[in-house]
Amino acid sequence: MKVLSALALGLVLAACTVFPVPESPRLMELAPASDLPAFGQALPASLRVDTPLASDPLDSTRILIKPSAYEYRALAGARWRESIPVVLRDHLLETFRASRAFAIVMTDTSPATSELTLISELTGFHAENGEDGTRVVIRQHLQLLDNRTRQSLCVRDFETTSVAASTALDDLMKTFSAVANDAAGATVKWAYNCGVGR
């Protein structure tokens, strides 16, 4: 009986802990674009928006800070709701659809075929220390591909930046959203003008 009692007490104690359970990280998202580019008429073409290519640590859910040119750090207590490339792809997809630049806009997970594909490589999506304070940076290499000929119609490098009011999470999120909105708007205009030229 003593052995059984000791065993039962051990099992009860094993389920308890004196250490606090850590809180779940806050899941962050980019705010929808508010200043959308306007077009008189949608291009009669279908566009597939591919998920940007990225390597670690950009291919992760971490909110990244660069205190120096040689180091990445992850912001504690918060993360993106999905990996950074997926967050950016979804934001760009929403901006394309809301702007009505193309007749049909789909994601790379769609089984449908498209006439054009937007391909991108992501080399920057972080906050970094600069002379004027903490700034948020997005760097992308973009190609608009004709799916029939497999030729690149247009190629461009984009860098968009803005200085954050502080390093507090809410200020960083406002700046990340503002920079992402500027980058998405510029990308939609560029892709539309490229599509007109084809």
Side-chain angles (χ1 to χ4, degrees), residues 4-184:
L4 289 175
S5 298
L7 182 60
L9 181 61
L11 290 173
V12 170
L13 291 176
C16 302
T17 176
V18 296
F19 299 106
V21 177
E23 291 185 13
S24 299
R26 293 174 65 184
L27 297 182
M28 310 311 292
E29 173 67 291
L30 295 170
S34 55
D35 187 17
L36 295 170
F39 304 97
Q41 185 177 3
L43 289 178
S46 54
L47 173 70
R48 178 186 302 275
V49 178
D50 276 4
T51 303
L53 299 173
S55 57
D56 198 55
L58 292 172
D59 190 16
S60 73
T61 61
R62 296 184 289 266
I63 299 173
L64 299 172
I65 311 287
K66 286 192 77 174
S68 70
Y70 316 105
E71 180 184 9
Y72 280 105
R73 290 184 187 175
L75 198 65
R79 65 178 178 85
W80 296 110
R81 63 161 180 85
E82 259 286 2
S83 68
I84 291 171
V86 172
V87 167
L88 274 178
R89 181 204 65 192
D90 291 350
H91 185 264
L92 187 57
L93 192 76
E94 291 173 4
T95 306
F96 265 107
R97 287 175 174 166
S99 299
R100 299 182 180 177
F102 291 83
I104 300 172
V105 181
M106 65 189 74
T107 182
D108 52 0
T109 59
S110 171
T113 58
S114 65
E115 297 166 69
L116 303 171
T117 298
L118 180 66
I119 302 170
S120 60
E121 299 170 23
L122 184 65
T123 56
F125 190 79
H126 58 272
E128 62 184 31
N129 294 332
E131 295 179 359
D132 52 353
T134 300
R135 64 187 189 120
V136 171
V137 179
I138 295 179
R139 294 190 190 97
Q140 285 181 295
H141 175 77
L142 301 174
Q143 293 184 63
L144 191 64
L145 183 73
D146 185 317
N147 291 332
R148 184 178 59 83
T149 64
R150 306 307 295 170
Q151 291 183 338
S152 292
L153 301 176
C154 299
V155 180
R156 182 171 175 180
D157 291 311
F158 278 101
E159 176 172 314
T160 314
T161 68
S162 183
V163 177
S166 74
T167 56
L169 179 61
D170 288 344
D171 287 334
L172 284 176
M173 288 302 102
K174 288 177 184 176
T175 311
F176 267 109
S177 292
V179 173
N181 290 344
D182 288 346

